Amino acid sequence: MTNTERAARTRANLVLAAARRFDRHGYDGTALNHICAGAGVTLGALTFHFRSKAALASAVVDEGVRALQRIRTARPDTGRPLHDLTVLVLQVAGALQHDVLPRAATRLVEEGHVDSGWPGIWRAEVLRLLERAFVTGDLAPDVRPAAAAHLVMHVVEGAAHEARRAEAGGVWVASDVAEVWHAALGGLAAHPR
């Protein structure tokens, strides 16, 4: 293994170890020595790759948001807005439940420690799909797209919160996000499926 490959592996291990700590304890509750222990490196190795805890948190957000962006951009547009919204919601919620990088990224952004455009991009995409559903008559006539977008945000944030709580307790309690989403969708759709 070359020095470049070893450095890349060390950096990736640090980002993952930091994501685990940030996800569980938040930015303020995470100490660099705990990240080093989780990655199996010295503080010197950490500071070689990241000049500060803030720079490391920024790297975690970059990686986590990249994973969420891949979901958003890879999703095909079927022309059925509520179907497309369902696919998007379930994939993003699944990533937040099962991948610590996006979950830690969202926590760091929510806490205000790292600035990211992801929340705005995510909300805009959700709102765009809901507005299309309203125009096509797929959204119930008494449901405003902005209010529905707010509900979607709560469903997805709830999935992330539940996953974080389950991991902190050392026990995974699988939530059926699909069931919760379909119950919410029943109240949003003009013609419940």
Side-chain angles (χ1 to χ4, degrees), residues 8-56:
R9 180 177 288 174
T10 299
R11 186 183 190 287
N13 286 340
L14 281 165
V15 170
L16 185 57
R20 288 182 180 126
R21 295 300 297 193
F22 289 139
D23 180 50
R24 185 170 290 162
H25 304 287
Y27 184 89
D28 293 331
T30 296
L32 292 179
N33 62 335
H34 291 128
I35 294 170
C36 291
V41 300
T42 65
L43 186 57
L46 185 146
T47 57
F48 174 80
H49 291 279
F50 302 99
R51 69 183 186 287
S52 65
K53 183 169 138 180
L56 181 54

Side-chain angles (χ1 to χ4, degrees), residues 72-156:
R72 188 181 71 82
T73 58
R75 181 187 48 79
D77 184 348
T78 67
R80 300 179 335 208
L82 289 182
H83 169 75
D84 294 348
L85 180 63
T86 295
V87 170
L88 180 63
V89 165
L90 294 179
Q91 288 180 347
V92 168
L96 291 170
Q97 282 191 304
H98 302 292
D99 187 344
V100 71
L101 283 165
R103 198 169 55 243
T106 58
R107 180 169 185 170
L108 289 166
V109 170
E110 287 168 6
E111 289 179 350
H113 294 288
V114 179
D115 189 28
S116 169
W118 168 253
I121 292 167
W122 161 241
R123 182 170 173 69
E125 181 67 8
V126 167
L127 188 56
R128 183 185 72 78
L129 289 167
L130 288 163
E131 286 171 344
R132 278 185 46 205
F134 184 78
V135 168
T136 60
D138 293 331
L139 198 62
D142 61 339
V143 175
R144 291 180 307 113
H150 197 64
L151 174 65
V152 171
M153 302 316 236
H154 283 295
V155 168
V156 173

